[in-house]
Amino acid sequence: MLTIKVPADNSQFYCETRNHLGSQNSSVTQLDGMYPPKNTSLSVSPSGSVVEGISVTLTCSSNANPAVKTYTWYRVNGSEGVIVGSGQSFTFNKIAINDSGQYYCEAENKHGVDNSTTTNIDVTYPPKNSSVSVSPSSSAIEGSSVTLTCSSNSNPPVGSYTWYRVNQEQVTEVGSSRMLTIKVPADNSQFYCETRNHLGSQNSSVTQLDGMYPPKNTSLSVSPSGSVVEGISVTLTCSSNANPAVKTYTWYRVNGSEGVIVGSGRSFTFNKIAINDSGQYYCEAENKHGVDNSTTTNIDVTFAPKILPSSRCIRTDDQINCTCESHGNPSPKVEWRLAEQPVNHFTNTVIREPMGSTGLRSSLTTHQSQEDTPTLVCLSTNSVGSSSLQFCTQCLGNHQGLGKNTEVIEGQVSLPIFITAIFVSALMTALICALLFLLRVWDPSFTVLRGHYKYYDSDVGMNLVPSSGERTQDPPAAEEDKYANSMIPSQARRQGRKQDLEAPNPGPKPLPSSKAISETDRTSQPSPIADTATDPGEGTAKNEGDDVFYSSVIWKKKKWMKMKNEGSVDRGRVASSGSYLEEEMCVLGNVGRQRISKVLEMDNLQFL
């Protein structure tokens, strides 16, 4: 008998028996020593680091009797293991990055369990999720410093970093470390980094530095460009480079050494530009970081010449001195036309004087006698149009001559057509006036009222009709014209009226003959009469040389005819051609003489 402890190595035993006759061995007997798993281990295939995406197998081995019944796989998570599988082998068909970690296996039979040691699964891969971060911010003032940091996820870690700068289509290498410190550029350049390990490389996305700066390169454009014609629409546009974008645009007009605000907004429009809009303009662009002004731009408004009211003519004994002042842009040219012909510079004197950059004064001295009254025109022209002024040489005397001012814009009616139109209009007006005059004379409704003709003490007295009753005799047959030119004080006039109302009607006075007023008497009367707008009798004559009105008054008598029917007092006699006053006037300021025919109260003459 042999008493032993069952060994762990499954040893075999046999015994030998012997006597004096001999010996014999028994058959071998193996002791089946049962025990829990032990020497449990884990193997990885392929061994070592594994590249992402390949197939990886983990195998568990253990010594046990009876044999291991159950294998369990664990992944270490902190201080404990998390079951991830079972079986003697555990396979990752396409191992992923997140499969990296520590693993172990557990072997179990009915006598106990045993764990293997932990094994690390290292999944390697090229750089992933590369990115760039900017400190303190990607939006920074132009010229300030910022730090760019490149980040990437890779196994093994990134072996090298490379920085690139993109400017339009050009790419430039600017660094080779994980961090890059630069000054914020003004051109909003873009940056990215490249990460690399032995398995591959990856570029980060592009990062743009938002370099903020005040407005710069501010400029002004004008549409239409160049000189602009008065009356058209003109638009000024302001452009500027700024980050952030321009918040406010302000428009200025140069006034001396400073600018005067005239508008706001990116565009400034003159709907109908005027002459006084000419000048220098500039715009101001502003954002939260500062302001910038454009250079000044000159707006040159062109316009047709305009002849100024100060233009005039003065006549002396043997010559006419005229001045024509014109204003236009471009600066106008002035031409004198005498009797519709250009002035001959050999016999006439013309002096031209500039009046600033857009004005011209032209003086003409021409030798003309008092009897010569040619038409005199000042014609001013430039590239935009023309303007003319015709002087009234008949009205000059020693006074200023005025005329009609005409302007012709380029593309409109020319001066000859305009003058022709004036002539036709004047002719039509004369014809209409002649027709009205004939109607006045021949219309029976224009009868001479019968009544008492009253007159006051004056140089001339006339009696045209009886004061009452039917006419018993025809008016005097004398056909001489009677001239009246009197200046009666208002007081005498009022007294005459009062006496006439109080005294009985003495009947008609005898009509004085034309000899009552001699040629000497008429010439002795004052020629210039007072301005009698309010009371003709209270005025006084102006001094010689002042602006006055000259007039002569003619009263013409008419024959009377008896009608067959004398029963009506009012219709007994009708003027054959009417009675009328004819007044000839040469009024300063009118182009010519004009005759006025009318029946009215003239100074001391009154009809009742």
Side-chain angles (χ1 to χ4, degrees), residues 9-27:
D9 56 2
N10 293 335
S11 296
Q12 294 175 333
F13 295 87
Y14 68 91
C15 67
E16 178 186 58
T17 59
R18 182 181 294 273
N19 62 19
H20 67 278
L21 293 178
S23 63
Q24 183 182 28
N25 292 335
S26 66
S27 59

Side-chain angles (χ1 to χ4, degrees), residues 4-52:
I4 61 173
K5 290 185 178 188
V6 177
D9 56 2
N10 293 335
S11 296
Q12 294 175 333
F13 295 87
Y14 68 91
C15 67
E16 178 186 58
T17 59
R18 182 181 294 273
N19 62 19
H20 67 278
L21 293 178
S23 63
Q24 183 182 28
N25 292 335
S26 66
S27 59
V28 176
T29 297
Q30 181 171 329
L31 293 179
D32 187 16
M34 293 179 293
Y35 48 90
K38 56 184 179 181
N39 302 323
T40 305
S41 63
L42 186 156
S43 62
V44 179
S45 177
S47 61
S49 296
V50 294
V51 179
E52 175 189 20

Side-chain angles (χ1 to χ4, degrees), residues 172-218:
T172 306
E173 183 178 336
V174 293
S176 59
S177 61
R178 184 169 180 263
M179 293 188 296
L180 177 67
T181 300
I182 59 170
K183 290 185 179 296
V184 177
D187 56 3
N188 290 341
S189 296
Q190 296 176 324
F191 294 84
Y192 69 91
C193 66
E194 179 191 64
T195 56
R196 183 182 296 274
N197 64 9
H198 70 277
L199 296 176
S201 64
Q202 185 187 42
N203 293 337
S204 69
S205 58
V206 175
T207 297
Q208 180 168 318
L209 292 182
D210 190 16
M212 294 183 292
Y213 49 91
K216 56 184 177 181
N217 302 326
T218 304

Side-chain angles (χ1 to χ4, degrees), residues 575-591:
S576 61
S577 60
S579 297
Y580 65 94
L581 291 175
E582 183 174 82
E583 179 180 5
E584 181 179 359
M585 304 178 65
C586 180
V587 181
L588 180 65
N590 291 325
V591 175

